Amino acid sequence: MASNRVQNVFAPVLAAHNTMSSAADRAQKEQAHQFLEQFQKSDEAWTATLAMLEANNVDAAAKLFAVTTLKGKIVYDLHQLPRDTLPKLRETIIRNLATFHAGPKPIRLQLCVCLANLAIQMTEWKDVLPLILSTLGSDPSTLPCVLDFLRVLPEEVTHGRKIALTETELQMRTSELIEENAQQALNLLVQYAQSSPAASQNPQLLNCITSWMREVALDDIIKSPLLGVIFDALSAPEPFEAAVECVCALIAETRDVDESTNTILVLYPKVLELRPILAQVAAEEDTETYKGIARIFAEAGEAWCLFIARIPDQFLGLVEAILETAALDKERDAISHTFKFWYDLKQYLTLEKYTPARHQMAGIYSKLVDIMIGHLEYPKPESGDEKDLFEGDREQEEKFREFRHQMGDVLKDCCEVMSVTECLQKPYNLIQAWVQTYASQAGPNRVPEWQKLEAPLFAVRAMGRMVPPDENVMLPQLIPVMVQIPDHPKVRFQAVMALGRYTEWTAQHPNTLQPQLDFIMGAFDHTSKDVTRAAALSFKFFCNDCASSLVGFIGPLQQFYAKYLDVLPVSSQEEITDGVASVAAKVPLEQLYPTLKLYCDPVLQSIMSIANRAKDEPSQKLLADKINLLTIFLEVVRPQVPAGQEHPAVVYCQEIFPMLGNIVSHFSKSVPVLERVCRCWRYMVLSYRTAMRPLLPLLATQLVQGFESSRQGCFLWATASIVREFSAGAEEFDSSLTNDVFQFYEQQAKTFLRILSDLPPEELPDMIEDFFRLAGEMAMYYPIESISSPLMETILLAACSSLTLLKEEPLIATLHFLRDLLGYGRNLSPSSSFDNSRHEVPEQIQTRVKQLVATAGIQLVQRIMTGMMYSFPEGCFPDASGVLLDLFELMPEQVAGWVQQTVGMLPQGSITPQESERFLNNIRQRIQTGDIRMIRTILQDFTTSYRRRNVAPREGLGRLEASRFRFSG
């Protein structure tokens, strides 16, 4: 009977767990998942989990679920148990540990985590280590339990902030459990290591040493027999991985080289002794051992980098070992461990005080360039199939591509240590060597050993950012060679991309421009799509940087632009448009209008042609992409026009404006089209600013009508540009526009509020983000008008409603708006300018903000605290706590009362009365002492602790669920 009663406790849990691992349908699994989540937070879980662990008819997977649940209960819900039952719980866990001494290991480890977390919170338990040793340490079969417990104890104490102890309690417990036991733990580990040869090579021992590394004085470990044990374990297969972790942790503790000099002098020869193993395991193709040794070398290099720069003679052996690591790594499995070291060392060597070390290391970095270029080579497929260089291994191909760019960064480091000219000399020599050996054999569709040509070209491309525009030794030799390389797709791609990196140099050497541009423009006809895309990107860079040299070729460039525009993919169309727009921006002012017409009219005709037949989604997307080309011209062509003179670009904007308005009317349901038109209008305002005044009434009308008919947030986004550019802080501000701009904003705000009243916030995340960014701009640039407006009460309620969202961007926008608004409740207004002379806020505005807070404050506090406890993404926490701090600074007593009301509405059992009272008392004390800013930390700690314990609401949010927003304006 007793057995049946116990089984009845967990039978539903076991059934739900089995459903999760069965072939049941999705709905059944979701129901089971929900049941298990609720079970994990319930009081019944205490009994059920222990019963499952001790039952014979429960499988290992279900027992692992049970012990994981028990761990969560101990960490978050220990308050559910009477204090006098904790010793019995401790005995039960220890008994189960003895039961699972032989495994499964995950269950044994989780039981140790349970015991460690119980020890942290059971402050009356003073003899933690002695009790564990007396109960589990006397029998050799249960020694693995002791080792696991020793391993997890420091880790769990370190992460003790998730436990509901005060900082003072946690510090005291850390002292009792760790600091006072450190020497005993070390002695135990030494004793165990010396007990038998097998014990000294037990990975569990090494894991324990790693775990206690930060808690025990480093000198004590170095002087103990454990140092030999750690390094000896690197010679055995079973403990090797744990030994690598242990050595790396030991080295990492010596990063403060001045404090750890003696330790480093002991460790350095032991690390160097590993160097012969490197060549041996490389020859044996023992990848895992190679990666482990390489990691140790890299860790040592990073930790002792400062010593290498100070005394390079003594540490040259380590640098050579790391170089050898890179050289011998044929499979490129371990080379990534070295990348950070080369960067860190470069950072020191380029400081003036380490110039002698830089000269000494130049030879190392010179060899590193050779090694990196060698690793850059594409593989040669054994099958001979040039179209599949990685023989179907897509993971290896992706890894190679990623490594190439990381190796390119290492080449940049080399450029800084050596001279750029020396670095460029190396790929140049390789290119020349290829030309002399293979150029005569190259022909159409046949480039022998192309990998040996492509790799140095990639290196030249990678070094581009480091080469100054006045380099006059290597580039005059390299550029003529590069524009004559044979036509292999990957080689041509790399050459085109490399030339695009040197356009700033070309701008200062215009005599080299023509052959480069011919080479790149010729690539637009290439059969490889990769090559044509590369050509478009490089063409853009050439036009951007060499625009002054190309301004005399407006006509031919337009013909080239018109010829290739429609045959390129969209991203390439945008790149060549950006390029020719850069050249158009350089023409004299009197030629600007005809130049815009020359380039943009054909685009306009294409837009109208596509618009006439755009009936489906793909054709509307094509239309949107074409509109974006117009926007690029308006974004790039931004001439300086003298005041009072007609703006040629605005004249052109007036011509195209009716067509854009018609497109908005015709495609009011196409989001891509509307977004691109709004972006175009926005850049008209951003580029030509107050010169757009003649178009302002028409633009405002279009934005209002467009928003009403389409309900798309992009119209609010465009509205914000007008608010900014026609505000009091703008150049040539016209005060007569203030009322017009504000009325324009109010129309948009009312439309938004009506939409939010009709639809729940979760259906409008992007529009909410756009609106509150706009509202924030209004608070910044039109504070008196927007804050005094009767609409502000409703906007504040809309903000409360919007805080129920789960998406980060709209939440951040809403919180930023609230922070800007609340800033006006104090005497200093928020400001986005670099002007430090911030203006005082008029008394009536401060009063108005406080009235708004008094009206909506309780809802605001509830929404923000609920979000911080339950739903806000992590990125929202700083701004959410900032809003609460602003509220406390305005009305501390009232806000404290609202916080108390909110805490009182939390689901029963989710927080103890003691925790609630302690939290509220902390706030009251800070108010009484005037230390308001500390309340922010108190709120963050409380909500974080609550959230950890209640990852999901246990029985729903109850009375804290938000009501629907309503607006009848």
Side-chain angles (χ1 to χ4, degrees), residues 13-317:
V13 180
L14 198 57
H17 187 269
N18 290 339
T19 300
M20 292 296 295
S21 56
S22 72
D25 61 38
R26 181 172 181 146
Q28 288 176 302
K29 287 191 174 185
E30 284 181 356
Q31 188 177 1
H33 186 271
Q34 190 175 8
F35 170 80
L36 291 174
E37 272 195 335
Q38 291 173 347
F39 161 74
Q40 287 186 308
K41 307 296 190 332
S42 67
D43 288 355
E44 294 75 27
W46 290 106
T47 311
T49 53
L50 292 169
M52 288 172 71
L53 279 170
E54 295 179 350
N56 294 325
N57 60 341
V58 176
D59 64 23
K63 289 191 176 190
L64 182 59
F65 168 77
V67 73
T68 305
T69 300
L70 180 61
K71 176 186 72 175
K73 298 300 291 179
I74 291 171
V75 171
Y76 299 118
D77 296 335
L78 202 63
H79 64 274
Q80 293 175 346
L81 296 179
R83 201 77 191 171
D84 58 5
T85 64
L86 297 187
K88 185 179 179 184
L89 175 63
R90 178 181 63 196
E91 290 166 17
T92 306
I93 295 172
I94 291 174
R95 185 175 69 249
N96 276 285
L97 261 174
T99 303
F100 289 100
H101 70 270
K105 288 181 183 178
I107 295 176
R108 187 179 72 204
L109 193 64
Q110 287 299 317
L111 281 166
C112 287
V113 173
C114 289
L115 196 56
N117 279 285
L118 182 60
I120 296 167
Q121 295 180 81
M122 197 174 165
T123 51
E124 63 271 28
W125 182 12
K126 301 298 182 184
D127 60 337
V128 175
L129 272 188
L131 181 64
I132 298 301
L133 288 170
S134 64
T135 52
L136 297 169
S138 54
D139 184 346
S141 68
T142 55
L143 274 178
C145 304
V146 177
L147 290 170
D148 273 353
F149 180 77
L150 276 173
R151 172 190 167 183
V152 302
L153 184 62
E155 295 169 1
E156 294 304 310
V157 172
T158 302
H159 297 110
R161 281 189 65 82
K162 64 188 174 186
I163 288 171
L165 293 177
T166 65
E167 285 292 332
T168 305
E169 289 171 334
L170 189 57
Q171 285 172 4
M172 287 177 60
R173 204 61 181 143
T174 301
S175 175
E176 290 172 355
L177 292 175
I178 304 300
E179 294 164 19
E180 294 174 16
N181 283 321
Q183 194 57 48
Q184 186 185 358
L186 181 65
N187 295 339
L188 283 170
L189 294 174
V190 170
Q191 188 180 341
Y192 175 76
Q194 294 177 328
S195 64
S196 71
S200 68
Q201 294 196 352
N202 185 349
Q204 277 188 290
L205 168 68
L206 295 159
N207 290 334
C208 281
I209 298 170
T210 304
S211 187
W212 281 88
M213 196 83 72
R214 290 185 177 180
E215 317 305 337
V216 177
L218 208 55
D219 275 356
D220 291 346
I221 295 176
I222 294 295
K223 292 172 183 174
S224 78
L226 292 179
L227 183 65
V229 169
I230 295 167
F231 276 91
D232 288 345
L234 290 169
S235 305
E238 187 185 358
F240 178 77
E241 192 176 331
V244 169
E245 288 291 337
C246 199
V247 172
C248 288
L250 193 59
I251 291 169
E253 289 298 306
T254 65
R255 281 181 177 268
D256 187 341
V257 293
D258 293 315
E259 290 285 324
S260 311
T261 302
N262 292 334
T263 304
I264 293 169
L265 293 176
V266 173
L267 290 176
Y268 181 64
K270 287 189 169 293
V271 170
L272 271 195
E273 284 170 10
L274 301 173
R275 190 174 173 186
I277 301 174
L278 204 61
Q280 180 187 335
V281 296
E284 293 170 358
E285 298 185 356
D286 182 352
T287 305
E288 292 308 310
T289 304
Y290 189 91
K291 283 197 289 189
I293 302 297
R295 189 178 157 209
I296 291 171
F297 284 144
E299 187 73 45
E302 289 173 34
W304 305 334
C305 209
L306 180 57
F307 267 1
I308 296 171
R310 280 184 190 167
I311 40 177
D313 286 338
Q314 293 185 34
F315 284 86
L316 185 62

Side-chain angles (χ1 to χ4, degrees), residues 610-678:
I610 295 169
N612 288 333
R613 61 178 190 275
K615 307 297 183 190
D616 54 11
E617 195 173 323
S619 58
Q620 289 171 5
K621 178 72 171 66
L622 178 63
L623 174 62
D625 291 334
K626 287 294 181 188
I627 293 168
N628 199 47
L629 301 182
L630 272 184
T631 307
I632 291 170
F633 276 102
L634 300 179
E635 188 179 352
V636 174
V637 180
R638 304 171 77 164
Q640 294 292 321
V641 179
Q645 187 174 329
E646 187 175 53
H647 198 301
V650 174
V651 172
Y652 191 71
C653 289
Q654 287 174 307
E655 287 185 19
I656 66 174
F657 196 85
M659 182 270 293
L660 293 172
N662 289 336
I663 287 175
V664 166
S665 302
H666 191 71
F667 295 96
S668 61
K669 303 299 180 190
S670 172
V671 175
V673 170
L674 295 177
E675 286 184 346
R676 291 306 172 86
V677 172
C678 284

Side-chain angles (χ1 to χ4, degrees), residues 648-929:
V650 174
V651 172
Y652 191 71
C653 289
Q654 287 174 307
E655 287 185 19
I656 66 174
F657 196 85
M659 182 270 293
L660 293 172
N662 289 336
I663 287 175
V664 166
S665 302
H666 191 71
F667 295 96
S668 61
K669 303 299 180 190
S670 172
V671 175
V673 170
L674 295 177
E675 286 184 346
R676 291 306 172 86
V677 172
C678 284
R679 188 170 186 272
C680 188
W681 283 340
R682 184 171 179 267
Y683 271 102
M684 286 182 186
V685 177
L686 295 180
S687 293
Y688 311 127
R689 310 184 71 178
T690 49
M692 281 289 292
R693 171 82 190 266
L695 265 173
L696 198 56
L698 278 174
L699 180 54
T701 301
Q702 284 285 359
L703 291 172
V704 169
Q705 292 175 352
F707 185 41
E708 283 182 348
S709 62
S710 70
R711 294 189 161 196
Q712 292 301 320
C714 54
F715 291 92
L716 300 175
W717 181 55
T719 298
S721 63
I722 294 177
V723 168
R724 261 196 314 278
E725 295 303 331
F726 291 90
S727 66
E731 297 171 16
E732 302 174 32
F733 171 63
D734 185 346
S735 58
S736 66
L737 285 175
T738 299
N739 192 50
D740 293 338
V741 171
F742 181 70
Q743 286 184 355
F744 165 46
Y745 160 73
E746 275 205 322
Q747 287 178 281
Q748 300 291 62
K750 286 177 181 177
T751 302
F752 166 75
L753 295 170
R754 282 194 291 270
I755 295 169
L756 188 60
S757 181
D758 293 342
L759 297 170
E762 54 269 24
E763 292 184 26
L764 304 166
D766 294 340
M767 185 189 296
I768 286 170
E769 179 185 354
D770 290 328
F771 176 76
F772 283 107
R773 290 199 189 285
L774 170 61
E777 301 274 15
M778 286 300 297
M780 191 73 70
Y781 296 111
Y782 291 83
I784 294 174
E785 293 81 2
S786 62
I787 294 173
S788 303
S789 167
L791 268 185
M792 188 53 85
E793 282 96 340
T794 316
I795 290 171
L796 202 51
L797 293 176
C800 291
S801 180
S802 301
L803 291 172
T804 59
L805 289 168
L806 303 177
K807 193 176 175 185
E808 185 167 330
E809 293 80 4
L811 285 170
I812 291 283
T814 308
L815 292 167
H816 282 182
F817 158 73
L818 290 167
R819 296 196 72 177
D820 286 343
L821 174 65
L822 295 171
Y824 286 97
R826 301 191 296 278
N827 194 33
L828 289 174
S829 62
S831 171
S832 62
S833 74
F834 293 106
D835 178 13
N836 291 324
S837 58
R838 296 167 75 182
H839 306 292
E840 288 195 0
V841 179
E843 190 67 38
Q844 70 268 26
I845 295 298
Q846 292 186 51
T847 304
R848 168 67 171 155
V849 171
K850 288 170 184 170
Q851 288 171 349
L852 290 167
V853 170
T855 305
I858 177 64
Q859 290 169 270
L860 200 52
V861 168
Q862 286 182 8
R863 291 275 52 75
I864 291 176
M865 285 197 66
T866 303
M868 290 177 73
M869 288 186 287
Y870 287 104
S871 59
F872 283 173
E874 191 176 344
C876 295
F877 271 56
D879 285 307
S881 61
V883 172
L884 290 173
L885 175 63
D886 291 340
L887 288 167
F888 268 106
E889 288 184 334
L890 284 179
M891 307 168 72
E893 297 292 345
Q894 294 93 321
V895 178
W898 297 333
V899 168
Q900 184 172 354
Q901 286 183 50
T902 305
V903 171
M905 296 165 72
L906 290 170
Q908 191 172 1
S910 63
I911 180 174
T912 65
Q914 294 85 352
E915 285 175 303
S916 171
E917 192 54 37
R918 184 170 63 201
F919 166 60
L920 296 170
N921 278 337
N922 282 341
I923 289 176
R924 291 186 200 106
Q925 286 171 13
R926 298 300 178 183
I927 291 172
Q928 287 166 7
T929 59

